[in-house]
């Protein structure tokens, strides 16, 4: 029954187009605002279709558009049945899509991150390094003399050890 999944997907796409065109051309309800059909999902038995939609506007316009969609459900289902030609026309359920709310949350989070990034950028502009400006040690002029003194001292220590060994042998 893998064919049923592709059939359901094709039917869902077709229902989305039919509902959108019918809302645009045939439904003349003044309560219907700027409605966009975003997705249609249909059950495997092709009996129930869930239509997801968004409405451009405020909460009052969304509520009015929801009422207009519910009242136009019969016209829309009749048109879906007529244009698809399936044996059983699926029942339509309208659900407001959560995409705008999700997008609004993402925009709010991005705004917070932008403010945080600006604060970090400002702090970095005035910050200084914790250690020396050049963290790598470069040999200094006085260090070179210390190294020579250390070598001379090392040679003297070695000479003393050799002398001590000679005294033991004798």
């Amino acid at each position: 029954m893998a064919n049923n999944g592709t059939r359901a997907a094709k039917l869902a796409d077709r229902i989305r187009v039919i509902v959108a065109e019918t809302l645009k051309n045939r439904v003349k309800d003044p309560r219907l605002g700027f409605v966009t059909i975003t997705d249609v999902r249909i059950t495997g038995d092709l009996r129930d279709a869930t239509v997801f939609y968004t409405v451009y506007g405020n909460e009052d316009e969304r509520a009015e558009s929801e009422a207009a969609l519910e009242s136009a459900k019969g016209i829309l289902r009749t048109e879906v049945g007529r244009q698809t030609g399936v044996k059983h026309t699926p029942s339509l359920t309208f659900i407001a899509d959560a995409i705008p709310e999700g997008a609004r949350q993402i925009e709010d989070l991005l705004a917070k991150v932008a403010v945080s990034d600006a604060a970090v950028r400002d702090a970095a502009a005035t910050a200084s390094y914790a250690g020396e400006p050049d963290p790598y040690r470069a040999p200094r002029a006085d260090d070179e003399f210390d190294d020579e003194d250390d070598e001379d001292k090392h040679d003297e220590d070695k000479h003393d050890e050799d002398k001590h060994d000679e005294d033991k042998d004798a």
Side-chain angles (χ1 to χ4, degrees), residues 63-145:
E64 289 176 0
S65 293
E66 182 179 356
L69 287 172
E70 286 298 319
S71 69
K73 191 183 286 190
I75 296 169
L76 295 170
R77 186 168 183 229
T78 302
E79 194 64 29
V80 166
R82 190 176 66 73
Q83 290 190 27
T84 58
V86 292
K87 184 176 181 179
H88 182 308
T89 303
S91 62
L92 301 177
T93 306
F94 291 96
I95 296 180
D97 206 345
I99 289 174
E101 289 80 19
R104 194 172 306 115
Q105 286 178 337
I106 290 173
E107 287 175 358
D108 291 344
L109 291 173
L110 288 174
K112 287 179 186 178
V113 168
V115 169
S116 175
D117 284 350
V120 169
R121 192 177 320 110
D122 292 342
T126 60
S128 62
Y129 292 105
E132 297 176 7
D134 184 14
Y136 301 104
R137 294 197 119 181
R140 296 188 182 133
D142 59 338
D143 286 346
E144 291 176 11
F145 295 122

Side-chain angles (χ1 to χ4, degrees), residues 10 20 26 34 53 93 123 138 141 153:
K10 286 179 183 179
R26 290 198 51 206
F34 293 109
Y53 68 95
T93 306
K153 186 176 181 183

